[in-house]
Amino acid sequence: MDLADFHFIRGYYLLLLIPILVLWWRIRPRPMADTKLPSGIAPHLAEALLLGKEENRRIQPIDVALIIAALVTLAASGPTWSRAPNPLIADTAPLVIALKVTDSMESSDLAPSRLDRARFKISDLITERAGARTALIAYAGTPHRVAPLTEDANILRPLLEGLTPAVMPKDGDAAADALALAQSILDDSDSPGAILFVLDDLDPSQVMGLSSSSSDIFFLTMLPDGGRIAQLDNIPNASVVAFSDDDRDINQLMRRIQSAYTAALDDDDRLDWQDKGWILAWPAAVLSLLWFRKGWVIRWAVLVLIALPSSGARAEGWRDWFFTSDQQGQIAMTQKRFGDAAEMFEDPYHKGYAYLRDGQYEKASSVFSTLDTPEAAFAEGMARIKNREYRPAISAFETALERRPDWPEAQHNLDLSKAILDYVETTREQSDTGEEAGIGADDTVFDNDAARGSDTTVQAPKDGPQSLSADQWISMIDTDMQDFLRNRFLLEIQEQTE
């Protein structure tokens, strides 16, 4: 918690403390003045005869009522000290992982090898960050982008398995260049992120380049017995985590990355402040239990309950007394109960996002289509493309660009949707024309120049092979990942030298 960021979202509610204090001062019983005991009566009997003596107790029911009213007022004022992340972006920071892929990483002192253990650790980290965006870079003598920021772990894992020293075009240690590439990836993101280096050594010549980073840098050292890399001590604000055989290193990285993300959000004026007033509801609720003690002012609680609005939140249970439906929905989102959160949320944007995270893409796109903001159109496009509705997805991203021109993320997803649609239709076209099925010259195939695979007919024997769907065609693509990465990296080197 940064005290410099502490403030009240609705500070005008604090003015209610004035009438609360005045009311407390007027109602609270005054202590009885000392009265001279009558003579001729035993002192303990004379003291019992004094009226109001039993009222001279230190804590009165009105004192507890004052504390409860003050807590409720402070809660209504919206105390806050951190930003609320945009739910459409991710629950955690975008992360770019830079993996060193050199011969030294093939050492077997971490069985089966440092590189293999590094792959396992990165895979575990991706799993822990389910729903968060992660990009992957491989570097040796040159850095190369393996995968852009993505939430899909199924894209990252096969690419990760294909990384070996043999696919790298040039030997060496270009950690500073890898940092520059990682920074360029984060610059295209609309949320602050972090960079993680997974390495076993660092060339001293790269220290100066790593020291100039504007993003948070973390290092996972792949050395046995918690070995250290001395050069990392010369990098300001470097956060180093040593390899461990269990999950301690991953858990430590997760905590540090999340902490850095939370701190970075405080400087983003585009994000709303996160209302922490709900924390004060718990002590107020506990103190309210004292009203059930004999002799305390229970009738005040009855008046408060009668004054409460009867409409309330739609979510059921005792939580309605302390949280709104949207707050309960956010709690369910934090607990990854996305389906429950979608039913609790009243805010349509958050409801649609919960449906999206729960995999109910049709419901999500239906909710987002009713909103007229660029974020809603962008989210609708995400839901459509995940539901394999490529044409509606293209339309949604175009709508997002109309509402917010020059939005790079929307333009990127629009181009991606068009590329996927073109690939799917081309695949269907090949299937319909028999190019991939091996239909002979004596077979009859209708022309397909205009239909693009939509309603084309192929005459084939009934007992012959059936045409494959687009998904089946995609799953049949068999590419050697190492050859793919090697050729792609070489092509990048050629383009840079031209």
Side-chain angles (χ1 to χ4, degrees):
M1 175 179 174
D2 190 353
L3 293 179
D5 294 323
F6 179 83
H7 66 282
F8 292 95
I9 300 175
R10 299 172 293 275
Y12 49 84
Y13 275 102
L14 296 175
L15 295 174
L16 293 175
L17 292 175
I18 298 176
I20 290 173
L21 288 172
V22 172
L23 187 62
W24 169 80
W25 179 258
R26 295 291 302 272
I27 295 177
R28 193 180 194 280
R30 300 294 187 272
M32 297 289 293
D34 291 338
T35 303
K36 185 177 180 180
L37 297 177
S39 60
I41 304 177
H44 66 283
L45 295 177
E47 186 176 358
L49 294 176
L50 293 178
L51 296 176
K53 188 66 177 178
E54 70 279 6
E55 297 297 332
N56 291 337
R57 49 189 176 187
R58 293 183 178 180
I59 300 179
Q60 300 288 338
I62 188 63
D63 298 334
V64 179
L66 168 69
I67 297 174
I68 294 174
L71 288 173
V72 172
T73 302
L74 292 174
S77 301
T80 182
W81 52 86
S82 62
R83 299 277 185 176
N86 186 336
L88 187 60
I89 297 173
D91 294 332
T92 54
L95 178 66
V96 180
I97 301 176
L99 174 62
K100 184 181 180 183
V101 186
T102 60
D103 292 335
S104 65
M105 290 287 285
E106 295 276 82
S107 174
S108 59
D109 52 2
L110 290 180
S113 71
R114 295 177 181 178
L115 185 58
D116 287 329
R117 296 302 289 268
R119 291 197 196 99
F120 297 152
K121 289 296 182 181
I122 294 175
S123 181
D124 291 342
L125 184 61
I126 293 171
T127 301
E128 287 294 322
R129 289 170 42 82
R133 294 174 298 167
T134 306
L136 182 60
I137 290 175
Y139 75 93
T142 53
H144 300 275
R145 184 193 318 227
V146 180
L149 287 172
T150 178
E151 297 179 7
D152 193 348
N154 294 325
I155 293 177
L156 296 173
R157 288 194 177 95
L159 293 170
L160 185 63
E161 291 298 322
L163 291 176
T164 64
V167 307
M168 305 305 294
K170 185 178 179 181
D171 295 333
D173 185 351
D177 293 336
L179 174 64
L181 178 58
Q183 188 63 59
S184 67
I185 295 176
L186 289 180
D187 289 342
D188 294 334
S189 173
D190 50 5
S191 178
I195 300 170
L196 170 64
F197 278 86
V198 183
L199 71 176
D200 62 346
D201 195 9
L202 179 65
D203 192 317
S205 64
Q206 303 297 308
V207 172
M208 184 64 69
L210 294 178
S211 301
S212 60
S213 173
S214 59
S215 298
D216 294 295
I217 308 181
F218 302 87
F219 296 90
L220 177 60
T221 56
M222 303 303 300
L223 295 173
D225 302 323
R228 295 174 58 256
I229 301 177
Q231 296 88 319
L232 298 181
D233 297 336
N234 300 321
I235 300 177
N237 301 322
S239 182
V240 182
V241 176
F243 166 83
S244 66
D245 291 328
D246 51 19
D247 293 335
R248 287 177 298 170
D249 48 2
I250 298 300
N251 295 333
Q252 192 174 0
L253 280 172
M254 288 290 293
R255 289 194 300 268
R256 295 188 184 185
I257 293 173
Q258 184 61 38
S259 177
Y261 177 52
T262 302
L265 287 179
D266 294 341
D267 299 327
D268 192 344
D269 294 334
R270 298 172 301 171
L271 301 176
D272 296 329
W273 289 97
Q274 196 166 22
D275 192 339
K276 300 291 187 178
W278 62 270
I279 297 176
L280 299 176
W282 293 108
V286 172
L287 290 175
S288 298
L289 297 177
L290 293 176
W291 279 345
F292 294 94
R293 287 172 54 88
K294 182 179 179 181
W296 288 61
V297 193
I298 301 177
R299 58 181 179 272
W300 284 37
V302 176
L303 291 176
V304 172
L305 292 176
I306 294 175
L308 288 175
S310 59
S311 57
R314 290 184 299 178
E316 299 178 355
W318 59 269
R319 293 179 179 84
D320 291 349
W321 288 29
F322 305 104
F323 304 105
T324 66
S325 293
D326 287 338
Q327 288 172 334
Q328 294 180 50
Q330 188 58 52
I331 292 174
M333 288 289 292
T334 303
Q335 298 173 349
K336 300 187 182 302
R337 295 185 291 111
F338 304 121
D340 295 338
E343 300 301 324
M344 294 178 183
F345 275 126
E346 289 184 347
D347 181 82
Y349 183 81
H350 289 79
K351 178 184 286 289
Y353 176 70
Y355 278 132
L356 179 63
R357 293 297 303 274
D358 194 48
Q360 302 185 53
Y361 303 127
E362 186 172 351
K363 289 185 177 180
S365 57
S366 177
V367 172
F368 287 131
S369 64
T370 63
L371 305 177
D372 57 359
T373 63
E375 292 81 8
F378 183 91
E380 180 188 354
M382 294 292 293
R384 298 284 189 188
I385 200 170
K386 286 180 178 291
N387 204 33
R388 303 182 188 277
E389 301 176 51
Y390 303 118
R391 291 188 186 278
I394 292 173
S395 177
F397 289 126
E398 289 175 343
T399 301
L401 286 171
E402 291 174 0
R403 296 172 180 174
R404 182 189 295 176
D406 301 326
W407 190 358
E409 288 79 10
Q411 184 63 53
H412 172 78
N413 286 350
L414 175 61
D415 296 340
L416 180 62
S417 301
K418 290 181 177 179
I420 294 175
L421 178 63
D422 182 71
Y423 178 83
V424 170
E425 291 190 337
T426 300
T427 302
R428 288 175 176 169
E429 177 182 333
Q430 293 174 348
S431 174
D432 292 343
T433 57
E435 181 177 336
E436 299 293 331
I439 298 177
D442 295 334
D443 297 312
T444 304
V445 180
F446 289 96
D447 190 13
N448 189 44
D449 289 337
R452 295 285 293 172
S454 56
D455 297 306
T456 310
T457 303
V458 179
Q459 291 184 352
K462 294 183 179 180
D463 56 351
Q466 301 296 317
S467 60
L468 300 177
S469 66
D471 294 337
Q472 291 171 323
W473 276 104
I474 294 175
S475 65
M476 288 180 62
I477 298 175
D478 184 14
T479 304
D480 186 293
M481 192 57 65
Q482 292 189 12
D483 290 341
F484 167 74
L485 291 174
R486 183 186 302 108
N487 293 332
R488 202 181 85 180
F489 293 167
L490 287 173
L491 181 61
E492 290 178 358
I493 293 292
Q494 292 175 2
E495 291 177 349
Q496 293 173 2
T497 56
E498 291 178 357

